[in-house]
Each structure stands twice: as C-alpha cells, then as structure tokens.
Amino acid sequence: MKVFVLLLGLIGTGWAEPILIHLKNGQTMDVELVGIANSAVQWRLSANDATVQTLSFTQISHVDFQPPDEWNDAVFALESGRFDEAVQRFRGIAAKPNNYFYPAPGNFASRAQVQLLQCFRGKLDAESAARQAEIVERAKPTLPPAERELEPIIRCWIAAGQSDWEGVLKAGDAIAEPTPERSFLRGRAFVALGQNGEALDAFAETYTLGFGDSFEMNREALRQSAELLEGLIEDEERVPELRSLVKLYAELYGKGALWEGASDYLKELAAEELETIGQPPAKVEPEAPAP
Amino acid sequence: MTRILTSLFVLGAVGSCWAQQATTTDPAQGYNLVVQAINNEKWDEGLGIVNGVIQAHATTGKEEFGPVFGHFYFLRGLLQMGKKNYDGAAKSFQTCYENFPNDKLVNKPGDKRGLQPNLFRIAALVQWANVEMFQEKWAEARDLYEKSLAEGPNDPRVNRTYIAVNLGRCYIKAGELEKGYDFISRPLGSDKASAGLKETIFFILSEDWSPEVKLPQVREFLDQFRGVATQCTPEERFEFNPRFRFLAQTAIEQSDPIRALAWYGVTVDPRVMAPVLSERIASIESREVQPEQAEQKRKILETLRGELAKLDAGYWDILNGVGSAHFQMQNFTASFVAFRELSDKAGTHELRPTFLHNVVASAAKTEKWAEAYKYGKAFLAEFPDHDLEPAVARMLVEVVFLRGEYQEAYDIATDVREGMEAGSSIRDIPDFITGASAFHLDRIAEAELELDAYRENYPEGERREPVEFYAGLTKVRLQNWPAAAEILNGFLETYPNSGMTPSALYQCAMSEFMIDELEAALAKVERVLTEFPDHDVAASTWNLKGDIFVSQELTFEEVEVCYLNGKRIADEKGDEPETAAYALWQLEIHSASLELWDRAIAFEAEFQEKHPESDYRFDFLAASLPTLVHAGRTGEALTRLRAAAWEFGDQPESSVLSEMFGTYFEFLKDNFETPAVIAELEEQRLKDDVPPALAGWLAVARIEMVEATAEEDQLANEVAVEFYKLQAKFDPAQQANFVIVQLARWLAREQRKPDEAKPLYDFILENRPDTVNYDYALLDTAEIQAQSDDPAEREQALAKFKRVITEIPNEELRELAVLGTARLYAKEKKFAEAQPFWEQYLDDRSWVVSRPEANYEYAACLDQQGLTEDALKIYVSVYANFPGHLDWSTRAYIRTALIMKQKGEELKALLVLRDMIQRMGHHKHPGVKQGMELFVKWKAEYQPAPKEASS
C-alpha cells in the first residue's frame, strides 16, 4: 500500500543517474536516482541494488543532479552574453519542470528561474528582473541553499523595475561593497531624479571599475555618460572628455558607430581624431608576461 | 619558444630495421640510444652517439641503408635544437630532407628487400621551418612550412593543424598581415576546433597581428572572437591576464588609450580568484598528510596564500592602467574614479603618492574641488618631500583658493614656489595664487607687486586672464585710477568672452569716472545694463550711472532714475543692502541740495527704517543734516551727531571719529552762536565719562574757537591755557594723530620746545604707520632734527625728508621735504649736495612756499662753487622779482654789490646799494641796515677813476 501511494505521487522516473544528496544534517549521499515524488527523492545505492529507498525533502538540503544538455547550453549562452537565447533556453527548462527533477530542491526548472533573473540583469531589463525576482522568491524552497538568498543588488533591480529611484539609492547604500552594477543602477536613478552630475560619476564608476565586466552594462554606461556630458558641458574645456567617451563607445562597443539617435554633434565628435595627452605620473610601463 | 608548435615523435617504433647491429657506431644500437637520450634530454650524450654513427657511415650510409639513414640527421637536428644550436639543427634537418629523398628505394636490380625509406623527410622539413622560426626568420620559415604542406599532405608524422598555425604566424610576422589573419583565424569560428587551438590562435592574433593593424580591425577581431578569452573559467581568464595587460600597457605607452582599454576589457578582475584560492587553501588545510608530506603541504599553502595576497595588487595594477588610459584620453571623470579607488583602497601601494597626485589632477580637471582638496591635503601630509609635492601643491593651491581659503592658499603657494624659477611654467599657478590671495587678504600693496610680476614674467601664463582682472581690481583698490582703467580696458579687449566681463566693465567704468573720462565710463555702464542686466553688478552700475550723470550735471530727474533703479534692484536681490544704502545717500544729497524737502525727508525716513546700521549711516547723517534742520529737527540732528562722535570716542585711530567730530563741530558752528558752541564743547568735555580721544578732539575744537574769538593780545595766552589743559595727563596712545600733531606743533613752534614735541611725533612714527597724519609727523620730526647740532640727528632728518619725497604722495609735504633737505645741506655748507634740491624746488612752479629763498640759495650754491657770473644773474633776479621778501632780496642786493666790488667795479657796486636803499630804505630790516652801512662805507672809500668821474 505504501509503495502504491508513493507511485501515485511519482513525478518522474527512469533517470538512473548518479546524484549527490546533501542532507540537512550536513552529510552527503552518493547514490543513484530512481525517481522524484511530490515530497521525496527515490534512490538506490547502485544500478545493481534492487532496493529503492525514499528520502523526504524535509530531510534534504538539496540535490546535485547531473546537468542536462539543455541546461549546459543555456548556461553557455548566458555566459557568452547571448541573453535572448539564454532566456529562451531557460524558459524552455522552466516550462517542463517534470523533466528537470522538480520539485526536488536543486531541480533545474527552479534553478532556471534564478538564471532567468541573471539574464534580465545582463540585458539591463529592470522591469523583467523585478518580476523575475518575485518568481525566484516563490521558488526558494526548491532551490539549493546557495541560490535561495537574493543578492543585495537584486533589491536595487526590483526598485529600478518599479521606477522607485529613491529606493534604488537606498538599496544601493545598503550594499557593503559597492560594485559597478550598483553604480550603474545608481546612475539610472540619478538620471531619473535629474541629478545629472552624480549620474555622470556613477556611470564612470561602472565602466571604469568594471573594466572586464558586463559588455552590455559598460556600453550602456558609456552611452548615458556621453549624453549626460553633452547636456552638462558649458564650455570647451570638457569637449575632449566628451570626444573620448563617444570614440570609446564607437570603437569598443558600437562596431565603429554611435547608437541610434545620437546627436549630430556627438557623431561629429566621434569622427574627429582623439586628442591624447601624456600619461599621468603613475606611468604604466609594459611588463612582459612570464613565458 | 612556447609558441612554436613542435611535434616529437615516437621514434622507437621505427628502429627495428637496425635491430641486428650492436656497437655505438652501429646504426641500430645507436638509434635506440639516441632516442633514449632525446627522451631524457641528454643532448650531449645523444650527439656523441649520433655523430659517431654518421661519421662511421658517412660515405656509405645512404648506399648501404638507403634514405632511412637520413633519420640520423633528423635526430641530430633534434639534439642540436635541444642544445640551442639552431644553425646546426637547420643544417641537419636540411640534410635529412634534401640528401635523403625517397626516390630510390631499390639498391640494385632484383633486390627484393629494397631500401628503407626516410620516414622523417617531411618532419625534418617542418622542424627545419621550426628552427627558422625560432630564429625569427619568418619568410624562410614560411616557405618551408608551405613546402611541407605541399609535399606531405597526408604525412601522418606531421600535425597539419600545427603547421598551419605556425605558417599563419609566419605570414603575419613576415608582414603579410591580411593573408596571415585569413589563414589562421578560420578555426576561431569553428565548432570543431579545440579550445586549446582557439586559444593559441587567439593569442597569436592578439600578440603578433593586432599591434600591427589599425584599431578598427582589432575591434572587429575582438567583437568576433573575444569569447575565446572571456567565456572560460575564472582560473583560465586569470591566467590570460598578464598577456592582455602587456598588450594594454604597450598601447598606453604608444599613446593609444582606446586600444589599451580594449585589452583591459578582456581581462578579468584578479579578485575573482579569491574564492577559488580560498577554497583550495581550506581544502588543503583540512587535509591530513603523512609527516613526510607536511613540508610539501606547508609550501603549497604558502604559495597559495601568497597568490591570494597578490590578488588585490593585481587589481590595482590593472586599475592604474585603466585610469591612465582614461587620463591619457582626457576622460578625467573616469580617471578620477580609478585613482580615487586606488587612493582609497591601495593605501600601502608603492605608487600611492602618484595615485594621490592623479586623483587630485583628475578632480581639478572636473572641478571636483572638495575631492581635490581632500586628496591634495592627504598627499602633502603623507609625502611632504616627494618629487611630486610641488605639482600637487600647485594644484592644491588653486583648489584652496577657489574654496575661498585665501590665507591657506597664500601660505601653500608661497611655500611651494620657493626654489622654483620665476617665469617657469611650474611656478605659474603658485604666483597667480599668491597675488590673488594677497588681494583677497587685503594686502593690496603686496598683491600689486605679485600681480605686476606675474604680468611681466608670464606673457602667455596659464592664469593670465584672471591675473589681468585682479591686477585691474588691485589698481582700483589703490585708487590708481589711470592704471586701473588701462589694465581693465586691456582685459576687456583681450578677453571679450570672459565670465568676468560684467565686473570688469563696472570696475573699469568706475576707474574712468574717477579720472573724468565720463563718456568712456558711461559707454561701459550702458553695456552692463543692456548686456548683463541681471548680473550682480547691475545695482552698483545703476548707482555709478547716477554718479556719472551728476558729474555731467544732468537733471535731477535723470540722476534720480539711476539711483532709484540701483536701490530697487538691490532691494529685490536682498543681498546688497549697502548698494541700496548708497543709492539712498546720493538721493538724499541731491534732493536736499535742490531743497526738494519732501523727497529728502522721505529718503531720510527710508534710510532710517531700512539701513540704520549701514556703513553709510554716518555719511547719510551728514547728508541729511540740512533736511533735518529744514524740518525743524536741529536738536535731533545734534543729538545724532553727538552720539556718533561718542560712539567712536574711545577709538583714537578711528577715521569715523575724526570725520564725525568734524561734522559735529561744523554743524555747531553753522547752527549755533559762538558762546553756545563753546558751551556745548565744554559741556561735553567736562562729562565724567568722556573718552580721552573724544576729549582731545573737544580740546582742539575749543582751541580753534579761542583762536577765532580771543582778543589779539590775549590770544597767545588763552591758546596756551587750552594747550596746557590738553597737555595735562596727555597720553598719545589715547589720542588721535591730529590732536597729537596739534599739540606737538604748538610745543615746537610756539613754545620752542622741540625736545618735548619730538616724543609725541615719535609715538606716531613708531606706533602708527600708514595712519592719517603720519606723514605730517614724519616731516615735522625731520624739521626738528634738521635744526639739531648733532650730525647724527641731522642725518636722520635727511632720511626722513627723503622718505617724504619718495613715499608720500602729498605735494605739499614733498615741497617742504625738498626745501628742508636743501636748507639742511645749505646749513652744512654742502653746496654741491644742496644744489640739485634747490633746482628740484625751482623746477616745480607750483611750489611757492619759498621761491625767493630757493632762488637765492641756488645762486649761493653756484657762487660757492665758483660760478659767480651764473650766480650774479640769479641774485639780480631775486631782488628784481621778489623785492618784498626782504630776507632774500636784501641778501641778493648785498651779495651782488660785493661781487661788483670784488670785480673792481666799485661804482656799480654803489649803484646796486643805492638802488636797494631807494627801494627798501624805509624798512627796518637788518638787511636794509647792513646795506645802508655798506653804502656809506664804500661811498667814503670811493675814488672814482678819471674816466669814471668825468662820466
């Protein structure tokens, strides 16, 4: 009778693959997966073991499943910065939870929701990120512990998605170690609040301190910086700075051109020669890498 | 070396053909030993064997064994490569390839067994190419690689992929950039190519190709393939960092900051390795090892901890490069961010001084004054002796100056510029700040010197524009109106778009107004009012326009409009009460002078209501006196005047006290009878709490009233009584200069007590430089000392006269000082020294105090120096032009007569004396008496010459 009940609750079977179960008491179990029920994992010690055992989710911290190819492809798309493709792939995984060990904590359908949040951050899509954060919040029980707590920066994204600009600044202030991403969101908030000077500084923090970080974010920070400075400059003194911004954008982020809608003035500046001056005293001299 | 892809082969597999031979010159044994030596990197051992074999079979090997004997040359090439004998290796591989072709594998007809082929012929070609590549003979290597691909397309002993990569690199290095890029880059976009191959190609293109091509091509390359270097694990990316940093640093060195930032853009923040390393350390720490492995564990942990500790430094080095690149391209907002981060976080970095310097420079460029100040101060506190200290201080002084901290700016600037050459570019800003700060600190004379020096030393100075402005303002403050107008006009012409134009126009107009260039002043005033109607100087400019209209004697209505506008704008702005007060003062003056009493009363009421504490309140009070009198408020006016005098009555050096007491005294004289005036003065003086300074003024006022009213025969006594009263308990420290000088003069001139007068003058000279009447004290003291018998005193007198002549812009005093100097030299019979002073005196025709004396004494100087004829003419002019000045005219007559007599012209001498007696004989003057006595004596002695008698 007991087995019968379990079978009724069985969501997926037939994986027969190794998994690592992390118990809440800190122990781990290297076993073979048999199936996932509504509230338990079915497992056996090995393929030769005829005894199938169950372990309630209440005893399990999370399970390390073998990542399926769909998951690996989606992660690769995300890490390659192909955010739209990654969104498609993760949504595909999330849409078929039964195929990806749901609702076991550590299942890929739930984890795909977390990755979707990363995709929206990568796409700088605050509204989607804010909505996705709520979904992730609801998915917490089925996530591995490391993914259950939202990073503090997500509070900034949620506020930005709700156009709560003061909230963005407040949430940003609560972040112990400021990051280029925080600066970027602060920059957006300052723009919305009309504090253009502060916004210019915040965007500069983004692309300067995040030199090897998000391509999308740095590109957007540069674009915003150029447009802000164009509106701020009153005399010739800062024109070289504006020129350097648009040239940097065009050469590194715009495939040689500026963004759609850039003013004619900025286009003219981007077409001019870059004016360089000598290095500052902290001179950078090439150091050959070790062979 | 690492970039050349070489393939070593499993050579043992081909050794079987010699298996039956057994000596070291035996090919089979030798072959196996050589392969073993190569595998063990025993190059010399291997070379010994292979050379032995080759030598033993040099002439017969090919015939005896066939092309396979070429293998020994191949092995020798590998050994020589190991020994870095590249020329030898190339030769060996060449021999293997060229001398041992596989075209003849049958030794003689019918030999079924045949000859063994040279299996390494293409491999030798490839290795030969590798050797050429090692030696950077790119074209030669290219040709050999191409040949290897053509001749051995399916040779299993060579790796075609690696050959292709090396060939591509050779194309690039040989200058065939496009061909090389096309040849080599294809695998980067291929799914089939391994990650390792892609990485190799990516770095060949990054390091060999990208520096040779323009930035857009690099951008396209990175746009397409950056993923090869960025879509991998943090550990892998971290490993790539040094190579990208090198590319970035090279770009910065070549002033190509965007390229540098492109490379920094593919680096990874080294700190991503922190969790990886921490986890590894924790894992090793928790691992229990056998005692014999403990040392190894310790070393591994030490290495890992060292790597972990260096992560921050790695980040800082990259950030320094990023900041420098932004700085180089003048994106100072970004360079500020980078160097601020470094200044805040890399507190112990050896480059901290330069980080601080750079953040200050970037902050100054983006007008982040607070930050520039903060980091500049930190630099000076931490690195006072650093080489960059002058440069930081130079920036800091301007920041401090802009913050309005003028004393600090002045102190830093003067300190910083020590040791810098005047006129050098590095001293430019400190010199400007010194002058401008001195101006703001009210050290106007010093400001003038500094700013004038700047204008001289820096014709193209960085701060020429503000310096011209400040120089103009300084002249205004010194009331040197012509110079102010000249400088400010120059400023307006040179910097027509300056932000300081409205202020310059106003100050220039004011200066021109002061030198009566009214049209020019008015034109500038109109410019301010039409072009900058909302500027801060607008209200003052309306007032100035009113002043100009007054000078042009326009109607009151026209004048009134100006001052009313000045008052209105100042009231609206709310922060210029003094400008509004000035306008009211002027309106009061002009309405009262025209007896427009209603308006005058209204202005007076408005002033009392709105500006009772204004700096103009005393001027206004003076101006409103006629109005108050007209309104029947004379008592009120007197009360206010009295109160003003009492308010400053304990401040002996106050100019307000002197001015208000003067106004009070004049008001008394104008509006009250003399007895009432005297009574008022006496009443005030006798009050118990009358302050000493005010009491002094009351005393000299009373003396003036006594001088005006006393009977002539009583005058001296009554004046003396008043001065005695003043002198009682007289403390010069509590008295105004005017009162002190009055008393001193009375003592010196009336009482003939110069010794009592001199301490009073000395008090002023020693304690009150640059105060009113100081110059009088200086001259009076000089005159007293000039009378002394002590040569040292007279020397001091000369020095004081000289100070008056050179330092005091007062013509009256300068005249007396020149006169005093000339007299002193004359008294000391230093005629040569006296002569130029008499000449100076006579040259200025406006000096009239003692022209007869000057003429006579000048003649006397010439006379004493033997120029008698020249002197004679002047003596004659003295008694001819100044007969009434008996002291000098009688002396001139007598000296003329004496000269005549000395020349033997006795009759002419008598005639001169007779002329004198006829013109002046009625005067009881010692000179006249002397002349008469001489005439009598000479006449008695006179014996006319015959011709003279007959005539």
Side-chain angles (χ1 to χ4, degrees):
Chain A
M1 188 66 191
K2 190 177 177 186
V3 172
F4 178 73
V5 171
L6 279 172
L7 285 174
L8 273 185
L10 203 63
I11 292 166
T13 58
W15 282 296
E17 61 179 47
I19 58 170
L20 189 66
I21 300 175
H22 296 262
L23 298 175
K24 284 183 177 172
N25 63 9
Q27 294 178 350
T28 54
M29 294 167 57
D30 202 349
V31 297
E32 187 180 276
L33 177 67
V34 173
I36 301 292
N38 270 335
S39 57
V41 173
Q42 287 187 313
W43 58 274
R44 60 188 172 195
L45 283 174
S46 69
N48 300 327
D49 187 356
T51 310
V52 174
Q53 301 184 62
T54 60
L55 197 57
S56 166
F57 291 165
T58 57
Q59 295 174 274
I60 296 172
S61 164
H62 64 289
V63 183
D64 288 341
F65 295 103
Q66 293 295 315
D69 290 344
E70 299 91 313
W71 175 264
N72 290 333
D73 291 344
V75 168
F76 186 66
L78 172 61
E79 288 177 351
S80 303
R82 302 195 304 273
F83 299 115
D84 288 334
E85 180 191 333
V87 167
Q88 288 288 94
R89 290 182 181 278
F90 283 123
R91 277 188 172 151
I93 294 168
K96 296 176 182 171
N98 293 350
N99 292 359
Y100 301 103
F101 318 115
Y102 187 84
N107 76 85
F108 290 103
S110 299
R111 293 184 64 197
Q113 302 291 8
V114 177
Q115 295 307 311
L116 278 166
L117 179 54
Q118 308 307 328
C119 291
F120 295 132
R121 283 168 70 183
K123 286 180 68 174
L124 312 181
D125 180 351
E127 285 182 22
S128 298
R131 281 196 300 272
Q132 189 64 30
E134 289 178 20
I135 296 171
V136 171
E137 194 71 29
R138 288 197 297 272
K140 261 186 182 179
T142 55
L143 288 170
E147 295 174 21
R148 281 176 203 158
E149 285 306 316
L150 290 178
E151 295 172 64
I153 191 69
I154 300 302
R155 301 281 161 229
C156 290
W157 281 104
I158 292 170
Q162 296 165 347
S163 300
D164 172 11
W165 304 115
E166 295 287 359
V168 171
L169 297 179
K170 200 173 167 187
D173 289 342
I175 296 174
E177 189 64 31
T179 62
E181 189 178 4
R182 184 196 82 136
S183 298
F184 176 78
L185 290 169
R186 282 168 62 84
R188 277 193 168 176
F190 284 131
V191 170
L193 294 168
Q195 296 171 239
N196 291 348
E198 287 82 353
L200 187 68
D201 290 342
F203 287 128
E205 285 176 10
T206 306
Y207 64 76
T208 304
L209 303 181
F211 46 82
D213 279 0
S214 164
F215 187 84
E216 300 286 333
M217 193 179 293
N218 285 343
R219 179 170 62 187
E220 180 62 7
L222 266 178
R223 183 186 72 77
Q224 294 254 19
S225 292
E227 290 188 336
L228 285 167
L229 188 58
E230 184 185 13
L232 282 172
I233 56 174
E234 292 171 348
D235 50 40
E236 291 291 305
E237 208 157 303
R238 293 184 80 175
V239 170
E241 180 177 345
L242 183 55
R243 186 185 294 112
S244 78
L245 284 170
V246 289
K247 288 199 76 72
L248 193 59
Y249 181 96
E251 293 295 350
L252 298 193
Y253 299 97
K255 298 186 188 303
L258 295 186
W259 57 93
E260 204 179 321
S263 71
D264 290 341
Y265 175 57
L266 293 184
K267 286 176 186 166
E268 281 169 27
L269 283 181
E272 291 173 3
E273 282 291 309
L274 184 70
E275 279 180 27
T276 58
I277 57 172
Q279 286 192 56
K283 201 175 171 191
V284 174
E285 290 172 343
E287 292 169 32
Chain B
M1 182 84 175
T2 53
R3 285 204 221 126
I4 295 178
L5 299 170
T6 56
S7 352
L8 287 174
F9 311 99
V10 185
L11 296 170
V14 295
S16 58
C17 58
W18 288 300
Q20 71 276 22
Q21 304 196 31
T23 64
T24 48
T25 56
D26 172 66
Q29 189 183 14
Y31 187 87
N32 289 334
L33 290 172
V34 170
V35 170
Q36 201 175 345
I38 288 172
N39 287 337
N40 293 326
E41 296 186 8
K42 293 182 175 175
W43 315 117
D44 289 329
E45 186 182 317
L47 275 172
I49 298 165
V50 81
N51 284 333
V53 173
I54 288 173
Q55 198 172 6
H57 304 279
T59 53
T60 60
K62 191 172 173 185
E63 290 299 317
E64 196 176 344
F65 304 109
V68 72
F69 195 75
H71 288 193
F72 288 100
Y73 289 93
F74 180 74
L75 294 180
R76 186 166 75 175
L78 292 179
L79 290 161
Q80 286 165 323
M81 275 182 79
K83 292 269 292 175
K84 298 190 186 346
N85 174 7
Y86 298 120
D87 287 339
K91 192 79 184 162
S92 296
F93 292 131
Q94 185 180 5
T95 304
C96 174
Y97 169 73
E98 289 179 350
N99 295 356
F100 297 91
N102 292 318
D103 55 352
K104 192 179 175 187
L105 297 177
V106 178
N107 214 3
K108 44 194 169 185
D111 183 356
K112 288 184 184 173
R113 186 177 172 217
L115 298 173
Q116 294 292 321
N118 177 359
L119 297 177
F120 296 148
R121 190 163 175 266
I122 299 303
L125 192 56
V126 171
Q127 291 295 358
W128 182 11
N130 288 345
V131 172
E132 299 295 4
M133 212 168 152
F134 272 126
Q135 297 180 96
E136 299 188 353
K137 295 176 183 173
W138 308 106
E140 289 85 342
R142 173 198 60 199
D143 295 344
L144 294 171
Y145 283 130
E146 282 181 337
K147 204 170 183 179
S148 70
L149 288 176
E151 294 185 9
N154 300 312
D155 190 324
R157 289 170 184 79
V158 294
N159 185 324
R160 286 179 54 77
T161 305
Y162 289 167
I163 292 171
V165 169
N166 282 349
L167 176 57
R169 184 162 184 248
C170 286
Y171 284 140
I172 291 166
K173 297 297 282 187
E176 296 174 84
L177 299 172
E178 198 175 335
K179 187 174 179 182
Y181 184 86
D182 291 343
F183 193 82
I184 203 174
S185 63
R186 279 185 218 122
L188 289 176
S190 164
D191 292 339
K192 292 176 184 167
S194 70
L197 177 63
K198 285 183 178 178
E199 181 189 317
T200 301
I201 294 171
F202 184 86
F203 277 105
I204 287 174
L205 290 174
S206 298
E207 292 168 343
D208 295 330
W209 171 81
S210 84
E212 306 299 328
V213 299
K214 291 192 178 300
L215 182 60
Q217 288 174 269
V218 181
R219 181 229 311 145
E220 282 176 26
F221 164 66
L222 285 174
D223 281 348
Q224 271 188 286
F225 304 122
R226 77 171 62 241
V228 173
T230 58
Q231 289 161 16
C232 38
T233 65
E235 291 96 319
E236 286 170 324
R237 291 193 67 185
F238 181 68
E239 291 297 319
F240 299 155
N241 264 5
R243 302 174 76 168
F244 291 134
R245 271 186 59 206
F246 178 75
L247 289 165
Q249 289 164 339
T250 304
I252 289 176
E253 198 180 53
Q254 293 170 352
S255 293
D256 196 350
I258 294 183
R259 189 185 296 253
L261 289 170
W263 292 120
Y264 282 126
V266 288
T267 59
V268 68
D269 183 343
R271 295 173 302 181
V272 298
M273 286 298 291
V276 177
L277 289 173
S278 298
E279 198 174 313
R280 213 174 286 165
I281 289 168
S283 166
I284 295 172
E285 278 175 337
S286 63
R287 198 177 299 165
E288 292 198 6
V289 295
Q290 297 300 317
E292 62 270 21
Q293 293 176 314
E295 178 60 17
Q296 191 186 356
K297 176 181 172 181
R298 189 193 64 76
K299 280 184 180 170
I300 291 171
L301 282 172
E302 189 177 82
T303 304
L304 289 173
R305 286 179 188 132
E307 285 176 19
L308 184 64
K310 282 187 206 160
L311 295 179
D312 278 346
Y315 169 70
W316 295 334
D317 287 343
I318 293 176
L319 196 55
N320 182 27
V322 170
S324 295
H326 282 300
F327 191 96
Q328 208 171 40
M329 60 200 287
Q330 303 187 63
N331 183 354
F332 298 114
T333 303
S335 62
F336 170 76
V337 166
F339 291 117
R340 179 187 60 188
E341 184 79 358
L342 289 165
S343 298
D344 288 346
K345 303 279 173 64
T348 57
H349 199 286
E350 61 178 353
L351 291 177
R352 177 165 172 75
T354 45
F355 294 158
L356 285 168
H357 168 276
N358 294 349
V359 72
V360 173
S362 302
K365 291 280 188 185
T366 49
E367 300 185 358
K368 292 178 167 61
W369 305 122
E371 289 87 349
Y373 181 74
K374 173 186 164 186
Y375 292 105
K377 292 279 281 183
F379 182 100
L380 294 187
E382 292 178 42
F383 307 105
D385 302 320
H386 194 275
D387 288 348
L388 287 171
E389 189 266 351
V392 172
R394 180 173 171 272
M395 292 183 284
L396 184 63
V397 289
E398 197 156 36
V399 171
V400 175
F401 176 80
L402 289 169
R403 286 165 60 94
E405 296 171 20
Y406 301 118
Q407 184 61 54
E408 186 160 9
Y410 176 89
D411 291 343
I412 299 172
T414 49
D415 185 43
V416 161
R417 68 179 185 174
E418 267 187 34
M420 294 178 180
E421 190 183 346
S424 60
S425 60
I426 195 168
R427 195 174 145 147
D428 182 325
I429 303 292
D431 276 354
F432 157 64
I433 297 298
T434 303
S437 298
F439 175 84
H440 284 288
L441 291 167
D442 228 17
R443 299 177 197 159
I444 303 302
E446 185 183 356
E448 183 184 39
L449 279 174
E450 289 290 339
L451 294 166
D452 284 350
Y454 185 102
R455 298 172 76 215
E456 176 75 23
N457 292 333
Y458 304 93
E460 305 294 330
E462 281 186 67
R463 295 293 177 267
R464 187 80 197 189
E465 181 183 336
V467 162
E468 289 299 305
F469 182 71
Y470 275 107
L473 295 194
T474 302
K475 303 297 182 191
V476 169
R477 292 287 302 276
L478 291 167
Q479 301 186 7
N480 184 350
W481 309 112
E486 186 185 342
I487 293 171
L488 290 168
N489 270 312
F491 174 88
L492 291 165
E493 193 175 322
T494 311
Y495 308 105
N497 300 317
S498 169
M500 293 171 271
T501 296
S503 299
L505 280 168
Y506 169 71
Q507 298 287 350
C508 190
M510 189 169 71
S511 304
E512 289 172 334
F513 167 71
M514 299 304 284
I515 54 177
D516 277 341
E517 292 180 5
L518 301 182
E519 289 304 324
L522 192 56
K524 291 181 179 65
V525 161
E526 295 296 357
R527 272 195 65 192
V528 174
L529 299 179
T530 53
E531 295 175 29
F532 310 101
D534 298 324
H535 193 272
D536 287 349
V537 297
S540 301
T541 305
W542 273 112
N543 283 350
L544 178 58
K545 187 175 180 181
D547 296 344
I548 295 169
F549 278 5
V550 169
S551 295
Q552 291 179 327
E553 299 181 354
L554 299 191
T555 65
F556 174 70
E557 284 71 20
E558 288 167 297
V559 170
E560 186 185 35
V561 166
C562 298
Y563 291 127
L564 286 175
N565 273 326
K567 181 169 75 73
R568 175 183 55 78
I569 294 171
D571 283 343
E572 285 171 1
K573 280 185 175 290
D575 57 356
E576 293 185 72
E578 290 304 297
T579 306
Y582 177 86
L584 274 170
W585 173 36
Q586 293 302 314
L587 287 165
E588 179 68 23
I589 289 172
H590 299 294
S591 55
S593 70
L594 292 172
E595 300 187 355
L596 301 169
W597 299 117
D598 289 347
R599 293 191 200 187
I601 289 169
F603 292 138
E604 198 277 336
E606 184 177 349
F607 188 95
Q608 294 307 332
E609 180 193 345
K610 293 182 180 173
H611 308 287
E613 301 301 323
S614 164
D615 289 347
Y616 290 108
R617 66 188 189 277
F618 302 114
D619 297 312
F620 192 92
L621 175 57
S624 66
L625 292 173
T627 306
L628 295 173
V629 171
H630 174 80
R633 293 156 62 188
T634 306
E636 179 187 338
L638 179 59
T639 303
R640 283 198 205 165
L641 284 168
R642 194 189 290 140
W646 273 79
E647 184 179 338
F648 293 89
D650 59 351
Q651 298 174 32
E653 295 180 66
S654 164
S655 60
V656 179
L657 174 61
S658 64
E659 287 165 11
M660 289 319 296
F661 187 85
T663 307
Y664 160 74
F665 186 38
E666 289 303 309
F667 183 79
L668 283 173
K669 288 190 288 184
D670 289 347
N671 293 282
F672 297 89
E673 297 296 330
T674 300
V677 173
I678 293 173
E680 163 73 12
L681 296 172
E682 194 64 4
E683 183 186 340
Q684 297 303 316
R685 191 168 72 88
L686 293 176
K687 282 184 176 173
D688 291 341
D689 55 349
V690 64
L694 179 58
W697 281 104
L698 288 162
V700 295
R702 185 173 164 79
I703 289 166
E704 185 184 320
M705 293 305 294
V706 168
E707 286 172 337
T709 57
E711 296 295 331
E712 194 175 343
D713 57 343
Q714 294 299 313
L715 177 60
N717 281 341
E718 289 189 25
V719 166
V721 168
E722 295 302 325
F723 271 117
Y724 286 136
K725 286 182 189 171
L726 175 62
Q727 198 180 6
K729 296 182 183 173
F730 189 84
D731 178 2
Q734 294 185 314
Q735 298 296 335
N737 286 0
F738 180 83
V739 176
I740 298 171
V741 170
Q742 287 290 83
L743 177 59
R745 282 186 170 174
W746 177 74
L747 287 167
R749 296 176 185 175
E750 306 299 329
Q751 297 296 300
R752 305 286 177 197
K753 294 176 178 174
D755 291 345
E756 289 184 34
K758 189 165 175 295
L760 296 176
Y761 286 128
D762 284 345
F763 172 81
I764 296 173
L765 297 181
E766 288 164 14
N767 299 292
R768 295 179 180 172
D770 302 323
T771 55
V772 177
N773 295 317
Y774 175 91
D775 40 9
Y776 285 91
L778 190 64
L779 181 74
D780 286 3
T781 312
E783 286 178 341
I784 289 172
Q785 289 179 305
Q787 301 303 319
S788 172
D789 294 331
D790 181 351
E793 286 285 306
R794 294 202 300 274
E795 201 60 38
Q796 287 186 30
L798 281 173
K800 289 189 172 74
F801 283 137
K802 188 177 177 185
R803 279 189 61 196
V804 174
I805 294 166
T806 56
E807 294 174 19
I808 294 177
N810 180 323
E811 279 303 293
E812 182 192 350
L813 298 187
R814 285 186 69 229
E815 178 185 357
L816 294 174
V818 170
L819 195 58
T821 306
R823 280 173 177 166
L824 183 49
Y825 281 132
K827 181 182 173 185
E828 293 180 341
K829 303 197 182 304
K830 294 178 178 174
F831 299 106
E833 286 84 348
Q835 185 185 325
F837 286 94
W838 292 122
E839 281 175 343
Q840 184 183 356
Y841 190 91
L842 292 170
D843 283 347
D844 193 329
R845 297 208 164 268
S846 68
W847 291 359
V848 294
V849 168
S850 199
R851 294 197 76 78
E853 177 191 5
N855 274 289
Y856 175 83
E857 292 290 3
Y858 178 52
C861 286
L862 298 176
D863 198 359
Q864 292 296 329
Q865 292 176 87
L867 301 169
T868 311
E869 288 304 316
D870 292 334
L872 191 58
K873 290 174 195 165
I874 300 171
Y875 287 138
V876 172
S877 76
V878 171
Y879 64 71
N881 294 330
F882 307 105
H885 293 264
L886 295 179
D887 285 348
W888 307 107
S889 57
T890 55
R891 287 189 207 189
Y893 267 122
I894 291 167
R895 181 59 192 149
T896 303
L898 280 169
I899 291 169
M900 293 297 175
K901 190 166 173 60
Q902 283 165 1
K903 284 167 68 178
E905 296 178 4
E906 294 181 355
L907 180 57
K908 283 186 180 175
L910 283 169
L911 289 173
V912 168
L913 291 175
R914 190 183 68 181
D915 180 46
M916 173 187 165
I917 293 163
Q918 282 177 340
R919 295 173 72 179
M920 303 171 179
H922 57 287
H923 289 294
K924 289 180 180 176
H925 187 274
V928 175
K929 187 183 173 193
Q930 185 189 357
M932 293 172 88
E933 287 170 359
L934 272 179
F935 181 79
V936 170
K937 183 182 173 200
W938 287 357
K939 191 177 178 189
E941 292 169 1
Y942 180 61
Q943 295 292 331
K947 189 181 173 186
E948 208 175 47
S950 64
S951 63

